[in-house]
Amino acid sequence: MATVVKLHVFPESFNQHRTRLLRSSFFGPSNNSSSPRVLGFGHNYEGLSVKQCRAFRSEDGGDLKEKKIRTLKKNEVNPKRESGFWNSLKYILLGSKSDDVYRHAVVKVEEVLSVIAIQIGRYIVTMMSTGVILAIGFQMSGGDSQMDALIWYSWLGGIIIGTMIGSNMVLEEHCRAGPRNVVITGSTRGLGKALAREFLLSGDRVVVTSRSPESVEATIKELEENLKEGINNAVGPSLTKLSHAKVVGIASDVCEPHDVKRLANFAVNELGHIDIWINNAGTNKGFRPLLQFSDEDIKQIVSTNLVGSILCTREAMHIMRNQAKAGHIFNMDGNGSGGSSTPLTAVYGSTKCGLRQLQGSLLKECKRTIVGIHTASPGMVLTDLLLSGSTVQNRQMFNIICELPETVARTLVPRMRVVKGTGKAICYLTPPRILLALVTAWLRRGRWFDDKGRALYAAEADRLRNWAENRARFSFTDAMEMYTENTWLSVFSLSVVCAFIILSSTGNTNLPGTW
């Protein structure tokens, strides 16, 4: 018996009638267990028919953001049509019978030409900056031909290395662009939901899943609200990016092979292909000696953490091997994954150690394929999984080293989106972060819990309000980071030139006969 929840989220606001219709159409399990019930727009289920609307219309003089979204939707074309740069240029030069296609072609060409102009401008600025240093170097050389030659060579070396760095930046920016198709297991609470939210607000298409259909439905509605809030705070390219975001969900038990296959088929049917699959579902059952774990506890931990990850990885590999684009699978690291002892969490630690062995084996099996096998290590995250069965002493340690799910997801997701190759380990709790936590341990006392182990941090709803405000300012942060990265290109080139000039000047002063 399986229940499927299939809800599409669009950037436009749902009207109240459609929301009531959706809620009233959510059914429980069907009497016929052989045919799982699916809820979706444009389908018939036991006499219920919901016709898909081509657009969501609002009253004239509506919200400015809604008008922007309508404009974006007008510029979108059927994804089955060719919409590359050269096809768009052809539509402009030769003309198109459809105004929508012509308008989309103009937007596409303007976008590409704008990116090209920006990169050319950066390169020109770099050349001009290094040219200034080059002229200063010639003045310092005093007309010495050997010194002039050395300055020319150092300038050329700086330009070559700087160009390589700049090219890598351009490639990374290109990789960051465009929506990703993402599947996240165990994504209706904790870190999984935070990852889903971060991917969604990066403009990606996300499939959320857990055992409970009610949890899946509630999570989709919550992420829908987060997406609307993100759209309301977005402008320019960020608004365009969010117009492609979408979230769908399905109830699935990763311990059951047929459920995992159904999840994989659902994801392919909804998204077309899968770029990223994250095996996040896991359980712990508290901190206590092995003798105090019941048979059911042990079975559930091993089934969810290890067997579930293996089943999901197998299905994801099936899909990714048969698609044109490369796909990446992430398994979550945890305490014990490196083979170290994990007293009071022996079962949990053994499953994480097994996942590390699975990682090593699959790296060799997938060596010559387009499937990337990676690990993601979130460190210690304040979730129900970590807090279940924890003692007061545990929570005092959590004050020093733990972080909230939203904080961890905001660091992991951008790195997951641009991952390349295979065998990468994406970690939140890096050695510098650990060192910083230990050095500032005296400042972190009472950060999350008081002396009696009572929680001091805000509830999830309050955290999300603050998180939304911070993310509204994220565009400014991105701009500062972009400025820093692009400035690095010219700074690196100039520093190479200056270093060679200084070294050469020092060398000449030590030559015989220069005193």
Side-chain angles (χ1 to χ4, degrees):
M1 185 276 293
T3 304
V4 177
V5 181
K6 179 181 175 185
L7 302 176
H8 292 269
V9 176
F10 298 89
E12 297 86 358
S13 300
F14 287 106
N15 56 40
Q16 295 179 354
H17 173 71
R18 189 177 183 88
T19 302
R20 288 195 300 269
L21 179 59
L22 177 60
R23 290 177 179 173
S24 64
S25 303
F26 183 75
F27 292 95
S30 171
N31 294 330
N32 183 7
S33 60
S34 62
S35 59
R37 181 169 302 183
V38 181
L39 175 61
F41 298 127
H43 299 278
N44 295 310
Y45 298 100
E46 297 183 2
L48 175 65
S49 175
V50 184
K51 294 184 179 180
Q52 185 177 9
C53 298
R54 292 186 178 274
F56 296 95
R57 299 183 180 180
S58 61
E59 299 292 335
D60 292 338
D63 188 86
L64 178 61
K65 297 293 180 182
E66 293 182 0
K67 292 181 179 179
K68 288 183 179 180
I69 294 299
R70 289 199 300 270
T71 302
L72 288 171
K73 288 299 177 183
K74 288 180 180 179
N75 291 335
E76 291 183 359
V77 295
N78 191 325
K80 296 181 179 180
R81 298 180 184 176
E82 297 178 347
S83 57
F85 171 74
W86 296 113
N87 289 315
S88 299
L89 187 61
K90 180 181 68 175
Y91 291 142
I92 294 175
L93 296 178
L94 301 180
S96 175
K97 296 180 180 179
S98 172
D99 291 339
D100 289 340
V101 173
Y102 180 81
R103 189 162 44 243
H104 174 79
V106 171
V107 171
K108 181 69 176 178
V109 172
E110 286 180 349
E111 180 181 340
V112 174
L113 293 180
S114 175
V115 172
I116 294 174
I118 290 173
Q119 304 304 337
I120 293 176
R122 291 174 181 172
Y123 200 76
I124 291 174
V125 170
T126 303
M127 295 298 103
M128 293 175 63
S129 302
T130 54
V132 172
I133 298 299
L134 188 66
I136 295 174
F138 286 145
Q139 292 292 329
M140 293 174 59
S141 68
D144 186 351
S145 59
Q146 291 184 352
M147 189 68 172
D148 289 345
L150 185 58
I151 292 172
W152 276 113
Y153 285 127
S154 62
W155 175 80
L156 181 61
I159 291 300
I160 292 174
I161 297 174
T163 301
M164 293 171 61
I165 294 174
S167 300
N168 186 66
M169 289 180 181
V170 172
L171 180 61
E172 188 162 321
E173 286 182 13
H174 176 72
C175 291
R176 290 181 186 275
R180 305 291 192 274
N181 296 336
V182 186
V183 177
I184 308 174
T185 65
S187 47
T188 59
R189 61 179 180 172
L191 179 61
K193 184 165 68 172
L195 291 171
R197 183 184 299 110
E198 199 65 36
F199 274 111
L200 188 66
L201 292 182
S202 297
D204 298 324
R205 307 181 184 104
V206 184
V207 175
V208 296
T209 180
S210 73
R211 291 189 180 95
S212 168
E214 293 78 11
S215 297
V216 173
E217 183 187 19
T219 300
I220 292 175
K221 291 179 180 178
E222 180 181 333
L223 294 178
E224 171 194 348
E225 293 301 322
N226 296 150
L227 181 59
K228 290 178 184 177
E229 198 166 351
I231 290 172
N232 289 334
N233 293 317
V235 292
S238 298
L239 188 62
T240 305
K241 176 179 66 177
L242 290 178
S243 69
H244 301 290
K246 166 173 124 171
V247 59
V248 291
I250 180 174
S252 175
D253 186 350
V254 297
C255 305
E256 299 295 334
H258 65 276
D259 264 20
V260 176
K261 289 182 180 179
R262 192 166 50 84
L263 168 62
N265 292 333
F266 175 84
V268 172
N269 291 335
E270 288 296 319
L271 307 180
H273 68 276
I274 299 175
D275 296 306
I276 300 172
W277 183 300
I278 303 173
N279 292 320
N280 176 72
T283 188
N284 186 8
K285 299 298 182 181
F287 295 82
R288 57 183 189 272
L290 178 63
L291 291 175
Q292 297 181 15
F293 280 84
S294 66
D295 294 342
E296 186 60 29
D297 289 339
I298 296 174
K299 180 180 178 181
Q300 189 171 351
I301 293 172
V302 175
S303 298
T304 304
N305 297 3
L306 185 58
V307 177
S309 295
I310 293 174
L311 292 174
C312 289
T313 299
R314 183 186 64 180
E315 292 305 318
M317 289 173 61
H318 273 309
I319 295 170
M320 293 175 181
R321 281 175 178 266
N322 296 321
Q323 65 187 24
K325 298 182 64 177
H328 301 276
I329 302 171
F330 287 90
N331 285 306
M332 284 293 181
D333 259 357
N335 191 22
S337 59
S340 59
S341 61
T342 56
L344 304 183
T345 57
V347 184
Y348 175 86
S350 64
T351 61
K352 292 302 179 180
C353 188
L355 286 179
R356 181 63 65 91
Q357 198 281 337
L358 175 69
Q359 165 85 359
S361 300
L362 295 182
L363 281 177
K364 294 185 177 180
E365 290 185 15
C366 302
K367 190 174 182 179
R368 300 185 182 278
T369 68
I370 61 173
V371 181
I373 306 294
H374 314 278
T375 59
S377 179
M380 301 184 74
V381 188
L382 287 173
T383 61
D384 294 339
L385 177 64
L386 180 69
L387 298 179
S388 59
S390 60
T391 63
V392 174
Q393 289 77 15
N394 294 143
R395 298 190 177 196
Q396 294 304 317
M397 181 189 65
F398 295 164
N399 280 331
I400 300 174
I401 206 100
C402 281
E403 293 294 344
L404 296 170
E406 298 80 26
T407 304
V408 176
R410 194 170 182 178
T411 298
L412 295 182
V413 166
R415 299 174 64 186
M416 288 179 170
R417 295 186 78 249
V418 299
V419 70
K420 304 171 188 174
T422 188
K424 299 297 192 305
I426 296 180
C427 304
Y428 175 81
L429 202 57
T430 56
R433 280 198 174 97
I434 296 175
L435 179 61
L436 178 64
L438 294 177
V439 170
T440 60
W442 62 281
L443 293 174
R444 294 172 175 246
R445 293 177 181 174
R447 188 166 63 134
W448 307 126
F449 301 96
D450 61 14
D451 294 337
K452 296 182 179 179
R454 292 174 297 193
L456 300 176
Y457 56 91
E460 184 180 22
D462 296 328
R463 296 203 314 265
L464 287 181
R465 276 193 290 270
N466 297 330
W467 168 87
E469 293 175 0
N470 292 333
R471 213 169 194 300
R473 297 191 292 267
F474 195 57
S475 57
F476 175 76
T477 306
D478 280 346
M480 292 302 296
E481 290 179 353
M482 183 179 295
Y483 173 78
T484 304
E485 291 178 353
N486 294 329
T487 304
W488 166 248
L489 187 152
S490 56
V491 170
F492 184 87
S493 302
L494 300 181
S495 63
V496 171
V497 176
C498 292
F500 272 98
I501 292 174
I502 294 171
L503 291 174
S504 301
S505 301
T506 305
N508 285 341
T509 58
N510 294 329
L511 291 176
T514 57
W515 297 99

